[in-house]
Each structure stands twice: as C-alpha cells, then as structure tokens.
mmCIF file of all heavy atoms in Angstrom:
data_model
loop_
_atom_site.group_PDB
_atom_site.id
_atom_site.type_symbol
_atom_site.label_atom_id
_atom_site.label_comp_id
_atom_site.label_asym_id
_atom_site.label_seq_id
_atom_site.Cartn_x
_atom_site.Cartn_y
_atom_site.Cartn_z
ATOM 1 N N MET A 8 43.301 -19.256 5.411
ATOM 2 C CA MET A 8 44.448 -18.588 4.716
ATOM 3 C C MET A 8 44.790 -17.371 5.480
ATOM 4 O O MET A 8 43.888 -16.520 5.851
ATOM 5 C CB MET A 8 44.131 -18.317 3.234
ATOM 6 C CG MET A 8 45.289 -17.664 2.572
ATOM 7 S SD MET A 8 45.152 -17.668 0.852
ATOM 8 C CE MET A 8 45.026 -19.430 0.458
ATOM 9 N N ILE A 9 46.095 -17.079 5.718
ATOM 10 C CA ILE A 9 46.462 -15.868 6.342
ATOM 11 C C ILE A 9 47.657 -15.212 5.474
ATOM 12 O O ILE A 9 48.466 -15.772 4.966
ATOM 13 C CB ILE A 9 47.188 -16.171 7.664
ATOM 14 C CG1 ILE A 9 46.318 -17.100 8.580
ATOM 15 C CG2 ILE A 9 47.550 -15.035 8.391
ATOM 16 C CD1 ILE A 9 45.141 -16.401 9.148
ATOM 17 N N VAL A 10 47.426 -13.751 5.345
ATOM 18 C CA VAL A 10 48.395 -13.036 4.619
ATOM 19 C C VAL A 10 49.018 -12.060 5.619
ATOM 20 O O VAL A 10 48.345 -11.250 6.244
ATOM 21 C CB VAL A 10 47.788 -12.323 3.428
ATOM 22 C CG1 VAL A 10 48.787 -11.404 2.674
ATOM 23 C CG2 VAL A 10 47.076 -13.284 2.423
ATOM 24 N N LEU A 11 50.307 -12.065 5.674
ATOM 25 C CA LEU A 11 50.994 -11.233 6.651
ATOM 26 C C LEU A 11 51.978 -10.249 5.852
ATOM 27 O O LEU A 11 52.709 -10.663 4.973
ATOM 28 C CB LEU A 11 51.898 -11.975 7.645
ATOM 29 C CG LEU A 11 51.233 -13.160 8.460
ATOM 30 C CD1 LEU A 11 52.185 -13.913 9.207
ATOM 31 C CD2 LEU A 11 50.192 -12.436 9.413
ATOM 32 N N GLY A 12 51.805 -9.013 6.273
ATOM 33 C CA GLY A 12 52.669 -7.865 5.655
ATOM 34 C C GLY A 12 54.048 -7.662 6.332
ATOM 35 O O GLY A 12 53.937 -7.723 7.602
ATOM 36 N N LEU A 13 55.076 -7.513 5.572
ATOM 37 C CA LEU A 13 56.388 -7.274 6.275
ATOM 38 C C LEU A 13 56.545 -5.812 6.361
ATOM 39 O O LEU A 13 57.878 -5.538 6.698
ATOM 40 C CB LEU A 13 57.512 -7.884 5.400
ATOM 41 C CG LEU A 13 57.361 -9.498 5.468
ATOM 42 C CD1 LEU A 13 58.458 -9.975 4.519
ATOM 43 C CD2 LEU A 13 57.590 -9.989 6.860
ATOM 44 N N GLY A 14 55.909 -4.958 5.857
ATOM 45 C CA GLY A 14 56.119 -3.550 5.928
ATOM 46 C C GLY A 14 56.589 -3.120 4.425
ATOM 47 O O GLY A 14 56.948 -3.932 3.670
ATOM 48 N N MET A 15 56.480 -1.832 4.111
ATOM 49 C CA MET A 15 56.859 -1.292 2.893
ATOM 50 C C MET A 15 58.384 -1.548 2.466
ATOM 51 O O MET A 15 58.631 -1.692 1.327
ATOM 52 C CB MET A 15 56.493 0.214 2.767
ATOM 53 C CG MET A 15 55.096 0.526 3.013
ATOM 54 S SD MET A 15 54.018 -0.219 1.827
ATOM 55 C CE MET A 15 53.839 1.230 0.791
ATOM 56 N N GLU A 16 59.101 -1.648 3.480
ATOM 57 C CA GLU A 16 60.524 -1.855 3.169
ATOM 58 C C GLU A 16 61.055 -3.147 3.785
ATOM 59 O O GLU A 16 62.224 -3.294 4.016
ATOM 60 C CB GLU A 16 61.441 -0.680 3.785
ATOM 61 C CG GLU A 16 61.073 0.678 3.074
ATOM 62 C CD GLU A 16 61.831 1.813 3.683
ATOM 63 O OE1 GLU A 16 62.813 1.619 4.292
ATOM 64 O OE2 GLU A 16 61.434 2.963 3.242
ATOM 65 N N ARG A 17 60.129 -4.050 4.062
ATOM 66 C CA ARG A 17 60.437 -5.413 4.593
ATOM 67 C C ARG A 17 61.194 -5.394 5.804
ATOM 68 O O ARG A 17 62.068 -6.212 6.085
ATOM 69 C CB ARG A 17 61.155 -6.201 3.448
ATOM 70 C CG ARG A 17 60.344 -6.257 2.222
ATOM 71 C CD ARG A 17 61.050 -7.273 1.135
ATOM 72 N NE ARG A 17 61.187 -8.629 1.591
ATOM 73 C CZ ARG A 17 60.223 -9.550 1.334
ATOM 74 N NH1 ARG A 17 59.240 -9.296 0.665
ATOM 75 N NH2 ARG A 17 60.508 -10.727 1.873
ATOM 76 N N ARG A 18 60.877 -4.462 6.736
ATOM 77 C CA ARG A 18 61.694 -4.404 7.963
ATOM 78 C C ARG A 18 60.952 -5.067 9.125
ATOM 79 O O ARG A 18 61.658 -5.271 10.214
ATOM 80 C CB ARG A 18 61.832 -2.854 8.412
ATOM 81 C CG ARG A 18 62.675 -2.134 7.465
ATOM 82 C CD ARG A 18 62.906 -0.796 7.970
ATOM 83 N NE ARG A 18 63.819 -0.026 7.044
ATOM 84 C CZ ARG A 18 64.151 1.299 7.168
ATOM 85 N NH1 ARG A 18 63.570 1.972 7.938
ATOM 86 N NH2 ARG A 18 64.918 1.713 6.187
ATOM 87 N N LEU A 19 59.781 -5.511 8.934
ATOM 88 C CA LEU A 19 59.138 -6.364 10.004
ATOM 89 C C LEU A 19 59.440 -7.822 9.749
ATOM 90 O O LEU A 19 59.762 -8.230 8.667
ATOM 91 C CB LEU A 19 57.607 -6.096 9.833
ATOM 92 C CG LEU A 19 57.012 -4.757 10.073
ATOM 93 C CD1 LEU A 19 55.564 -4.830 9.886
ATOM 94 C CD2 LEU A 19 57.434 -4.228 11.523
ATOM 95 N N GLY A 20 59.481 -8.536 10.830
ATOM 96 C CA GLY A 20 59.648 -9.916 10.756
ATOM 97 C C GLY A 20 58.519 -10.705 11.236
ATOM 98 O O GLY A 20 57.769 -10.197 11.905
ATOM 99 N N VAL A 21 58.553 -12.029 10.914
ATOM 100 C CA VAL A 21 57.660 -12.944 11.520
ATOM 101 C C VAL A 21 58.374 -14.012 12.182
ATOM 102 O O VAL A 21 59.291 -14.619 11.519
ATOM 103 C CB VAL A 21 56.746 -13.489 10.334
ATOM 104 C CG1 VAL A 21 55.730 -14.564 10.992
ATOM 105 C CG2 VAL A 21 55.853 -12.419 9.566
ATOM 106 N N ALA A 22 58.189 -14.240 13.429
ATOM 107 C CA ALA A 22 58.871 -15.255 14.161
ATOM 108 C C ALA A 22 58.664 -16.602 13.408
ATOM 109 O O ALA A 22 57.500 -16.985 13.215
ATOM 110 C CB ALA A 22 58.487 -15.231 15.604
ATOM 111 N N PRO A 23 59.667 -17.374 13.274
ATOM 112 C CA PRO A 23 59.467 -18.727 12.786
ATOM 113 C C PRO A 23 58.450 -19.539 13.565
ATOM 114 O O PRO A 23 57.750 -20.398 13.049
ATOM 115 C CB PRO A 23 60.935 -19.315 12.845
ATOM 116 C CG PRO A 23 61.877 -18.175 12.917
ATOM 117 C CD PRO A 23 61.124 -17.095 13.617
ATOM 118 N N GLU A 24 58.426 -19.310 14.940
ATOM 119 C CA GLU A 24 57.414 -20.108 15.773
ATOM 120 C C GLU A 24 56.068 -19.708 15.348
ATOM 121 O O GLU A 24 55.284 -20.659 15.462
ATOM 122 C CB GLU A 24 57.748 -19.760 17.207
ATOM 123 C CG GLU A 24 59.112 -20.154 17.720
ATOM 124 C CD GLU A 24 60.206 -18.959 17.478
ATOM 125 O OE1 GLU A 24 59.881 -18.041 16.951
ATOM 126 O OE2 GLU A 24 61.326 -19.284 17.862
ATOM 127 N N THR A 25 55.768 -18.509 14.975
ATOM 128 C CA THR A 25 54.484 -18.055 14.559
ATOM 129 C C THR A 25 54.010 -18.881 13.286
ATOM 130 O O THR A 25 52.938 -19.327 13.227
ATOM 131 C CB THR A 25 54.441 -16.575 14.344
ATOM 132 O OG1 THR A 25 54.780 -15.779 15.461
ATOM 133 C CG2 THR A 25 53.060 -16.100 13.863
ATOM 134 N N LEU A 26 54.956 -18.925 12.339
ATOM 135 C CA LEU A 26 54.682 -19.670 11.066
ATOM 136 C C LEU A 26 54.401 -21.094 11.285
ATOM 137 O O LEU A 26 53.444 -21.712 10.760
ATOM 138 C CB LEU A 26 55.848 -19.385 10.071
ATOM 139 C CG LEU A 26 56.040 -18.100 9.626
ATOM 140 C CD1 LEU A 26 57.291 -18.052 8.705
ATOM 141 C CD2 LEU A 26 54.848 -17.499 8.926
ATOM 142 N N VAL A 27 55.210 -21.654 12.220
ATOM 143 C CA VAL A 27 55.053 -23.119 12.581
ATOM 144 C C VAL A 27 53.593 -23.309 13.252
ATOM 145 O O VAL A 27 52.889 -24.280 12.811
ATOM 146 C CB VAL A 27 56.171 -23.641 13.470
ATOM 147 C CG1 VAL A 27 55.746 -25.032 14.085
ATOM 148 C CG2 VAL A 27 57.406 -23.644 12.829
ATOM 149 N N LEU A 28 53.262 -22.530 14.117
ATOM 150 C CA LEU A 28 51.954 -22.552 14.843
ATOM 151 C C LEU A 28 50.869 -22.396 13.950
ATOM 152 O O LEU A 28 49.891 -23.243 13.948
ATOM 153 C CB LEU A 28 51.986 -21.464 15.954
ATOM 154 C CG LEU A 28 50.653 -21.405 16.744
ATOM 155 C CD1 LEU A 28 50.541 -22.577 17.612
ATOM 156 C CD2 LEU A 28 50.618 -20.068 17.569
ATOM 157 N N LEU A 29 50.917 -21.495 13.061
ATOM 158 C CA LEU A 29 49.843 -21.239 12.098
ATOM 159 C C LEU A 29 49.629 -22.410 11.130
ATOM 160 O O LEU A 29 48.639 -22.966 10.849
ATOM 161 C CB LEU A 29 50.057 -19.972 11.274
ATOM 162 C CG LEU A 29 49.861 -18.652 12.056
ATOM 163 C CD1 LEU A 29 50.353 -17.485 11.229
ATOM 164 C CD2 LEU A 29 48.339 -18.474 12.422
ATOM 165 N N ARG A 30 50.780 -22.996 10.666
ATOM 166 C CA ARG A 30 50.751 -24.085 9.734
ATOM 167 C C ARG A 30 50.423 -25.401 10.416
ATOM 168 O O ARG A 30 49.563 -26.134 9.882
ATOM 169 C CB ARG A 30 52.215 -24.216 9.109
ATOM 170 C CG ARG A 30 52.374 -23.091 8.004
ATOM 171 C CD ARG A 30 53.658 -23.134 7.319
ATOM 172 N NE ARG A 30 53.792 -21.985 6.356
ATOM 173 C CZ ARG A 30 54.748 -21.257 6.156
ATOM 174 N NH1 ARG A 30 55.839 -21.374 6.926
ATOM 175 N NH2 ARG A 30 54.729 -20.293 5.197
ATOM 176 N N GLU A 31 50.683 -25.605 11.679
ATOM 177 C CA GLU A 31 50.295 -26.700 12.370
ATOM 178 C C GLU A 31 48.848 -26.732 12.666
ATOM 179 O O GLU A 31 48.183 -27.812 12.814
ATOM 180 C CB GLU A 31 51.086 -26.803 13.702
ATOM 181 C CG GLU A 31 52.493 -27.308 13.630
ATOM 182 C CD GLU A 31 53.265 -27.402 14.825
ATOM 183 O OE1 GLU A 31 52.766 -26.871 15.905
ATOM 184 O OE2 GLU A 31 54.390 -27.943 14.904
ATOM 185 N N ALA A 32 48.247 -25.452 12.778
ATOM 186 C CA ALA A 32 46.799 -25.251 12.908
ATOM 187 C C ALA A 32 46.127 -25.439 11.641
ATOM 188 O O ALA A 32 44.783 -25.362 11.655
ATOM 189 C CB ALA A 32 46.535 -23.828 13.493
ATOM 190 N N GLY A 33 46.811 -25.735 10.466
ATOM 191 C CA GLY A 33 46.195 -25.885 9.256
ATOM 192 C C GLY A 33 45.925 -24.701 8.431
ATOM 193 O O GLY A 33 45.298 -24.697 7.319
ATOM 194 N N ALA A 34 46.539 -23.659 8.761
ATOM 195 C CA ALA A 34 46.407 -22.405 7.886
ATOM 196 C C ALA A 34 47.471 -22.411 6.797
ATOM 197 O O ALA A 34 48.617 -22.759 7.040
ATOM 198 C CB ALA A 34 46.542 -21.138 8.762
ATOM 199 N N GLU A 35 47.091 -21.957 5.581
ATOM 200 C CA GLU A 35 48.074 -21.663 4.593
ATOM 201 C C GLU A 35 48.443 -20.211 4.731
ATOM 202 O O GLU A 35 47.720 -19.290 5.002
ATOM 203 C CB GLU A 35 47.273 -21.757 3.175
ATOM 204 C CG GLU A 35 48.214 -21.559 2.017
ATOM 205 C CD GLU A 35 47.499 -21.724 0.828
ATOM 206 O OE1 GLU A 35 46.432 -22.430 0.700
ATOM 207 O OE2 GLU A 35 47.819 -21.008 -0.237
ATOM 208 N N VAL A 36 49.789 -19.964 4.902
ATOM 209 C CA VAL A 36 50.250 -18.726 5.297
ATOM 210 C C VAL A 36 51.195 -18.114 4.185
ATOM 211 O O VAL A 36 51.977 -18.783 3.556
ATOM 212 C CB VAL A 36 51.135 -18.745 6.603
ATOM 213 C CG1 VAL A 36 51.782 -17.465 7.031
ATOM 214 C CG2 VAL A 36 50.362 -19.348 7.671
ATOM 215 N N HIS A 37 50.931 -16.831 3.769
ATOM 216 C CA HIS A 37 51.783 -15.976 2.863
ATOM 217 C C HIS A 37 52.366 -14.841 3.618
ATOM 218 O O HIS A 37 51.714 -14.141 4.373
ATOM 219 C CB HIS A 37 50.837 -15.546 1.698
ATOM 220 C CG HIS A 37 50.280 -16.700 0.974
ATOM 221 N ND1 HIS A 37 50.884 -17.325 -0.027
ATOM 222 C CD2 HIS A 37 49.055 -17.333 1.183
ATOM 223 C CE1 HIS A 37 50.119 -18.332 -0.647
ATOM 224 N NE2 HIS A 37 49.005 -18.367 0.215
ATOM 225 N N VAL A 38 53.635 -14.660 3.374
ATOM 226 C CA VAL A 38 54.339 -13.540 3.918
ATOM 227 C C VAL A 38 54.946 -12.673 2.836
ATOM 228 O O VAL A 38 55.876 -13.314 1.961
ATOM 229 C CB VAL A 38 55.453 -14.060 4.936
ATOM 230 C CG1 VAL A 38 56.175 -12.881 5.588
ATOM 231 C CG2 VAL A 38 54.848 -14.942 5.957
ATOM 232 N N GLU A 39 54.491 -11.533 2.750
ATOM 233 C CA GLU A 39 55.075 -10.585 1.678
ATOM 234 C C GLU A 39 55.189 -9.159 2.098
ATOM 235 O O GLU A 39 54.841 -8.770 3.133
ATOM 236 C CB GLU A 39 53.890 -10.572 0.534
ATOM 237 C CG GLU A 39 53.294 -11.855 -0.018
ATOM 238 C CD GLU A 39 54.378 -12.393 -0.926
ATOM 239 O OE1 GLU A 39 55.347 -11.771 -1.409
ATOM 240 O OE2 GLU A 39 54.255 -13.633 -1.183
ATOM 241 N N GLU A 40 55.982 -8.387 1.300
ATOM 242 C CA GLU A 40 56.061 -6.999 1.520
ATOM 243 C C GLU A 40 54.602 -6.363 1.435
ATOM 244 O O GLU A 40 53.749 -6.921 0.729
ATOM 245 C CB GLU A 40 56.900 -6.332 0.305
ATOM 246 C CG GLU A 40 57.108 -4.928 0.200
ATOM 247 C CD GLU A 40 55.986 -4.249 -0.423
ATOM 248 O OE1 GLU A 40 55.388 -4.829 -1.457
ATOM 249 O OE2 GLU A 40 55.653 -3.052 -0.195
ATOM 250 N N THR A 41 54.384 -5.339 2.107
ATOM 251 C CA THR A 41 53.033 -4.857 2.305
ATOM 252 C C THR A 41 52.185 -4.703 1.045
ATOM 253 O O THR A 41 51.017 -5.164 1.001
ATOM 254 C CB THR A 41 53.009 -3.517 3.078
ATOM 255 O OG1 THR A 41 53.479 -3.773 4.446
ATOM 256 C CG2 THR A 41 51.685 -2.914 3.340
ATOM 257 N N ARG A 42 52.748 -4.055 0.007
ATOM 258 C CA ARG A 42 52.000 -3.760 -1.100
ATOM 259 C C ARG A 42 51.627 -5.049 -1.786
ATOM 260 O O ARG A 42 50.491 -5.311 -2.357
ATOM 261 C CB ARG A 42 52.683 -2.867 -2.101
ATOM 262 C CG ARG A 42 52.762 -1.387 -1.600
ATOM 263 C CD ARG A 42 53.847 -0.696 -2.590
ATOM 264 N NE ARG A 42 55.212 -1.109 -2.072
ATOM 265 C CZ ARG A 42 56.168 -0.338 -1.952
ATOM 266 N NH1 ARG A 42 56.085 1.014 -2.178
ATOM 267 N NH2 ARG A 42 57.355 -0.764 -1.581
ATOM 268 N N ALA A 43 52.578 -5.965 -1.894
ATOM 269 C CA ALA A 43 52.396 -7.348 -2.506
ATOM 270 C C ALA A 43 51.285 -8.037 -1.595
ATOM 271 O O ALA A 43 50.519 -8.804 -2.074
ATOM 272 C CB ALA A 43 53.615 -8.177 -2.602
ATOM 273 N N ALA A 44 51.420 -7.969 -0.284
ATOM 274 C CA ALA A 44 50.516 -8.600 0.592
ATOM 275 C C ALA A 44 49.040 -8.149 0.419
ATOM 276 O O ALA A 44 48.069 -8.983 0.408
ATOM 277 C CB ALA A 44 51.004 -8.468 2.096
ATOM 278 N N VAL A 45 48.942 -6.814 0.275
ATOM 279 C CA VAL A 45 47.507 -6.262 0.202
ATOM 280 C C VAL A 45 46.996 -6.803 -1.228
ATOM 281 O O VAL A 45 45.782 -7.138 -1.311
ATOM 282 C CB VAL A 45 47.585 -4.696 0.201
ATOM 283 C CG1 VAL A 45 46.269 -4.166 -0.231
ATOM 284 C CG2 VAL A 45 47.930 -4.310 1.629
ATOM 285 N N GLY A 46 47.802 -6.741 -2.249
ATOM 286 C CA GLY A 46 47.357 -7.242 -3.538
ATOM 287 C C GLY A 46 46.922 -8.707 -3.556
ATOM 288 O O GLY A 46 45.864 -9.123 -3.989
ATOM 289 N N LEU A 47 47.678 -9.501 -2.833
ATOM 290 C CA LEU A 47 47.433 -10.916 -2.707
ATOM 291 C C LEU A 47 46.169 -11.043 -1.844
ATOM 292 O O LEU A 47 45.279 -11.895 -2.171
ATOM 293 C CB LEU A 47 48.598 -11.684 -2.128
ATOM 294 C CG LEU A 47 48.419 -13.183 -1.772
ATOM 295 C CD1 LEU A 47 48.092 -13.826 -3.116
ATOM 296 C CD2 LEU A 47 49.653 -13.649 -0.995
ATOM 297 N N TYR A 48 46.072 -10.359 -0.797
ATOM 298 C CA TYR A 48 44.920 -10.481 0.062
ATOM 299 C C TYR A 48 43.598 -10.121 -0.726
ATOM 300 O O TYR A 48 42.582 -10.839 -0.646
ATOM 301 C CB TYR A 48 44.926 -9.463 1.193
ATOM 302 C CG TYR A 48 43.732 -9.414 2.048
ATOM 303 C CD1 TYR A 48 43.496 -10.444 3.118
ATOM 304 C CD2 TYR A 48 42.743 -8.546 1.823
ATOM 305 C CE1 TYR A 48 42.384 -10.265 3.895
ATOM 306 C CE2 TYR A 48 41.567 -8.412 2.556
ATOM 307 C CZ TYR A 48 41.318 -9.395 3.517
ATOM 308 O OH TYR A 48 40.171 -9.328 4.257
ATOM 309 N N ASN A 49 43.623 -9.092 -1.512
ATOM 310 C CA ASN A 49 42.411 -8.673 -2.272
ATOM 311 C C ASN A 49 42.054 -9.737 -3.316
ATOM 312 O O ASN A 49 40.834 -10.058 -3.591
ATOM 313 C CB ASN A 49 42.649 -7.266 -2.967
ATOM 314 C CG ASN A 49 42.570 -6.072 -1.909
ATOM 315 O OD1 ASN A 49 41.964 -6.219 -0.875
ATOM 316 N ND2 ASN A 49 43.336 -5.100 -2.227
ATOM 317 N N ALA A 50 43.065 -10.320 -4.039
ATOM 318 C CA ALA A 50 42.742 -11.298 -4.934
ATOM 319 C C ALA A 50 42.204 -12.509 -4.298
ATOM 320 O O ALA A 50 41.182 -13.080 -4.906
ATOM 321 C CB ALA A 50 44.136 -11.673 -5.772
ATOM 322 N N LEU A 51 42.736 -12.989 -3.178
ATOM 323 C CA LEU A 51 42.307 -14.177 -2.569
ATOM 324 C C LEU A 51 40.985 -13.988 -1.911
ATOM 325 O O LEU A 51 39.991 -14.874 -2.042
ATOM 326 C CB LEU A 51 43.162 -14.644 -1.430
ATOM 327 C CG LEU A 51 44.643 -15.057 -2.008
ATOM 328 C CD1 LEU A 51 45.571 -15.252 -0.768
ATOM 329 C CD2 LEU A 51 44.472 -16.363 -2.741
ATOM 330 N N ALA A 52 40.642 -12.762 -1.326
ATOM 331 C CA ALA A 52 39.407 -12.515 -0.648
ATOM 332 C C ALA A 52 38.248 -12.461 -1.609
ATOM 333 O O ALA A 52 37.088 -12.670 -1.166
ATOM 334 C CB ALA A 52 39.524 -11.174 0.134
ATOM 335 N N ALA A 53 38.473 -12.232 -2.828
ATOM 336 C CA ALA A 53 37.331 -12.280 -3.856
ATOM 337 C C ALA A 53 36.872 -13.692 -4.005
ATOM 338 O O ALA A 53 35.694 -13.852 -4.387
ATOM 339 C CB ALA A 53 37.872 -11.713 -5.115
ATOM 340 N N ALA A 54 37.507 -14.714 -3.674
ATOM 341 C CA ALA A 54 37.121 -16.068 -3.814
ATOM 342 C C ALA A 54 37.017 -17.051 -2.639
ATOM 343 O O ALA A 54 36.466 -18.008 -2.702
ATOM 344 C CB ALA A 54 38.041 -16.732 -4.969
ATOM 345 N N ARG A 55 37.631 -16.573 -1.551
ATOM 346 C CA ARG A 55 37.637 -17.435 -0.391
ATOM 347 C C ARG A 55 37.921 -16.611 0.926
ATOM 348 O O ARG A 55 38.158 -15.377 0.853
ATOM 349 C CB ARG A 55 38.786 -18.464 -0.506
ATOM 350 C CG ARG A 55 40.214 -17.863 -0.819
ATOM 351 C CD ARG A 55 41.220 -18.863 -1.295
ATOM 352 N NE ARG A 55 41.423 -20.031 -0.326
ATOM 353 C CZ ARG A 55 42.359 -20.840 -0.385
ATOM 354 N NH1 ARG A 55 43.215 -20.791 -1.317
ATOM 355 N NH2 ARG A 55 42.451 -21.749 0.574
ATOM 356 N N ARG A 56 37.856 -17.362 2.045
ATOM 357 C CA ARG A 56 37.934 -16.739 3.342
ATOM 358 C C ARG A 56 39.465 -16.430 3.537
ATOM 359 O O ARG A 56 40.197 -17.485 3.433
ATOM 360 C CB ARG A 56 37.235 -17.486 4.399
ATOM 361 C CG ARG A 56 35.870 -17.475 4.298
ATOM 362 C CD ARG A 56 35.151 -18.404 5.234
ATOM 363 N NE ARG A 56 35.927 -18.505 6.589
ATOM 364 C CZ ARG A 56 35.391 -19.176 7.558
ATOM 365 N NH1 ARG A 56 34.217 -19.760 7.463
ATOM 366 N NH2 ARG A 56 36.078 -19.219 8.774
ATOM 367 N N VAL A 57 39.925 -15.283 3.930
ATOM 368 C CA VAL A 57 41.294 -14.991 4.193
ATOM 369 C C VAL A 57 41.418 -13.953 5.290
ATOM 370 O O VAL A 57 40.648 -13.049 5.293
ATOM 371 C CB VAL A 57 41.967 -14.627 2.924
ATOM 372 C CG1 VAL A 57 41.366 -13.373 2.315
ATOM 373 C CG2 VAL A 57 43.451 -14.448 3.168
ATOM 374 N N GLY A 58 42.378 -14.065 6.176
ATOM 375 C CA GLY A 58 42.665 -13.034 7.178
ATOM 376 C C GLY A 58 44.008 -12.435 6.757
ATOM 377 O O GLY A 58 44.815 -12.933 6.087
ATOM 378 N N GLY A 59 44.150 -11.116 7.143
ATOM 379 C CA GLY A 59 45.461 -10.371 6.866
ATOM 380 C C GLY A 59 45.840 -9.578 8.038
ATOM 381 O O GLY A 59 44.999 -9.078 8.797
ATOM 382 N N LEU A 60 47.055 -9.271 8.053
ATOM 383 C CA LEU A 60 47.685 -8.388 9.070
ATOM 384 C C LEU A 60 48.557 -7.542 8.281
ATOM 385 O O LEU A 60 49.611 -7.950 7.825
ATOM 386 C CB LEU A 60 48.425 -9.237 10.200
ATOM 387 C CG LEU A 60 49.088 -8.285 11.198
ATOM 388 C CD1 LEU A 60 48.048 -7.462 12.070
ATOM 389 C CD2 LEU A 60 49.899 -9.230 12.228
ATOM 390 N N PHE A 61 48.242 -6.127 8.267
ATOM 391 C CA PHE A 61 49.170 -5.186 7.595
ATOM 392 C C PHE A 61 49.267 -3.968 8.475
ATOM 393 O O PHE A 61 48.492 -3.647 9.346
ATOM 394 C CB PHE A 61 48.370 -4.814 6.177
ATOM 395 C CG PHE A 61 47.801 -5.885 5.586
ATOM 396 C CD1 PHE A 61 46.471 -6.231 5.542
ATOM 397 C CD2 PHE A 61 48.649 -6.740 4.727
ATOM 398 C CE1 PHE A 61 45.939 -7.231 4.788
ATOM 399 C CE2 PHE A 61 48.011 -7.701 4.051
ATOM 400 C CZ PHE A 61 46.648 -7.990 4.074
ATOM 401 N N HIS A 62 50.306 -3.237 8.229
ATOM 402 C CA HIS A 62 50.532 -1.946 8.899
ATOM 403 C C HIS A 62 50.647 -2.189 10.441
ATOM 404 O O HIS A 62 50.105 -1.441 11.216
ATOM 405 C CB HIS A 62 49.531 -0.901 8.561
ATOM 406 C CG HIS A 62 49.479 -0.595 7.265
ATOM 407 N ND1 HIS A 62 50.449 0.141 6.483
ATOM 408 C CD2 HIS A 62 48.537 -0.832 6.276
ATOM 409 C CE1 HIS A 62 50.129 0.243 5.283
ATOM 410 N NE2 HIS A 62 48.975 -0.321 5.084
ATOM 411 N N SER A 63 51.207 -3.305 10.888
ATOM 412 C CA SER A 63 51.096 -3.652 12.286
ATOM 413 C C SER A 63 52.041 -2.854 13.222
ATOM 414 O O SER A 63 51.998 -2.983 14.401
ATOM 415 C CB SER A 63 51.518 -5.147 12.419
ATOM 416 O OG SER A 63 52.801 -5.421 11.881
ATOM 417 N N THR A 64 52.784 -1.872 12.662
ATOM 418 C CA THR A 64 53.580 -1.144 13.560
ATOM 419 C C THR A 64 53.087 0.346 13.467
ATOM 420 O O THR A 64 53.715 1.292 14.076
ATOM 421 C CB THR A 64 55.113 -1.048 12.994
ATOM 422 O OG1 THR A 64 55.095 -0.539 11.688
ATOM 423 C CG2 THR A 64 55.636 -2.380 13.170
ATOM 424 N N CYS A 65 52.140 0.682 12.700
ATOM 425 C CA CYS A 65 51.528 2.061 12.562
ATOM 426 C C CYS A 65 50.754 2.454 13.775
ATOM 427 O O CYS A 65 50.160 1.733 14.449
ATOM 428 C CB CYS A 65 50.616 2.184 11.492
ATOM 429 S SG CYS A 65 51.513 2.029 9.829
#
C-alpha cells in the first residue's frame, strides 16, 4: 500500500503514469492532501505495511 501526499494546498500532482505503474505492480495507492495523507498513513501503518511520500517539495 502506498500513500502519496499532494501538499497542504493540493498543488502537487501525481503523473497518471505513476499511478498506472504502481497499480500494475499490485500496489493499492491512495492520493490525498498532506494532512489527510498523514492521517491515513498513520491509521494504516498501525495494522499493515504501508509506504508514504509526503513533503516531497520541501
């Protein structure tokens, strides 16, 4: 499972090709505003393996 953050103001994007590649590789992908993404990541990580990418422009 992968959680990707879009930034606090949703200004970041995720290339459609990236989502296709991840999903074809069998990953469940969630794309959210950063605060929502962090919350989702923390909830999921308590019970399963999950990777996340946040603050990718800082």
Side-chain angles (χ1 to χ4, degrees):
M8 177 168 303
I9 308 288
V10 179
L11 303 174
L13 294 174
M15 300 294 266
E16 297 181 13
R17 301 181 64 89
R18 291 186 180 172
L19 299 176
V21 178
E24 299 86 359
T25 300
L26 297 175
V27 169
L28 180 70
L29 290 169
R30 290 180 176 135
E31 284 179 351
E35 182 179 332
V36 182
H37 298 272
V38 181
E39 303 285 346
E40 177 272 332
T41 295
R42 289 167 287 220
V45 169
L47 178 60
Y48 174 87
N49 288 334
L51 294 170
R55 56 193 301 190
R56 291 174 35 175
V57 60
L60 179 62
F61 316 102
H62 303 292
S63 58
T64 61
C65 294

